[in-house]
Amino acid sequence: MEVSGWMQQALLLARRAASQDEVPVGAVVVHEGRIIGRGYNLREKKQDPVAHAEIRAIVAAAKKLRSWRLEDCTLVVTLEPCPMCLAACQQARIKRVVFGAQDPKGGALSLGYRLHEDQRTHHRFELVYDETKECGEVLTEFFKIKRKAKR
């Protein structure tokens, strides 16, 4: 499976989050061509500020590999990682991160945090914006419904 197939898997998870009234973000960790970790936002349900899709997928992948070092892994996520999640990728030694929609108000890269290429850190990794229209659409639709419900 290639990145677009993995992104489709992440989108399924994002939709699952939306069905649970969570911000629709989904993530998968891929190792040797197979998904070894999955996650979607569960901050509301768990009342956990760090229950982001990326964190949940990274934790699941680490359990699967029985190692916190995810050096040969790619994280595919529907939304640009926030600074916390980008730092988690750095700490987990993720090799590559691919995201499908930009987040101008909360995304690490959009906000100017370039931890993935900071020469002062001990691990650097590739960060790729692979625009996937559906990733933005699922978020737009979710927030449109939320705004309409507030009226």
Side-chain angles (χ1 to χ4, degrees):
M1 191 179 293
E2 59 188 50
V3 171
S4 63
W6 298 327
M7 189 64 78
Q8 289 305 311
Q9 293 298 307
L11 271 162
L12 288 174
L13 294 166
R15 288 185 181 99
R16 186 179 300 169
S19 75
Q20 296 178 31
D21 203 30
E22 295 280 351
V23 174
V25 179
V28 296
V29 175
V30 179
H31 179 256
E32 296 178 350
R34 296 181 54 202
I35 294 174
I36 61 164
R38 290 176 168 79
Y40 58 92
N41 275 358
L42 282 174
R43 290 193 314 166
E44 297 299 331
K45 183 177 181 180
K46 293 189 172 284
Q47 289 300 297
D48 180 349
V50 298
H52 288 205
E54 300 95 323
I55 302 292
R56 295 177 49 77
I58 288 168
V59 169
K63 281 185 181 179
K64 179 77 171 179
L65 291 182
R66 299 201 327 257
S67 175
W68 62 268
R69 289 181 173 90
L70 304 179
E71 295 165 329
D72 295 321
C73 295
T74 296
L75 173 73
V76 179
V77 60
T78 58
L79 183 64
E80 178 183 352
C82 72
M84 174 185 70
C85 290
L86 196 64
C89 291
Q90 193 269 341
Q91 290 298 313
R93 310 298 195 268
I94 293 281
K95 182 178 183 176
R96 182 174 183 228
V97 175
V98 179
F99 63 97
Q102 293 178 315
D103 184 0
K105 294 182 179 179
L109 204 59
S110 292
L111 295 172
Y113 297 102
R114 305 188 69 81
L115 181 64
H116 65 289
E117 62 188 15
D118 191 325
Q119 295 297 314
R120 297 170 296 175
T121 64
H122 57 284
H123 177 72
R124 283 162 295 286
F125 54 96
E126 184 180 8
L127 183 62
V128 179
Y129 172 45
D130 185 18
E131 184 176 10
T132 305
K133 190 175 179 185
E134 287 176 86
C135 293
E137 288 171 349
V138 72
L139 286 156
T140 299
E141 185 62 26
F142 176 81
F143 287 112
K144 183 192 284 185
I145 291 166
K146 294 296 259 181
R147 284 190 297 277
K148 196 173 190 178
K150 282 187 174 183
R151 290 181 192 161

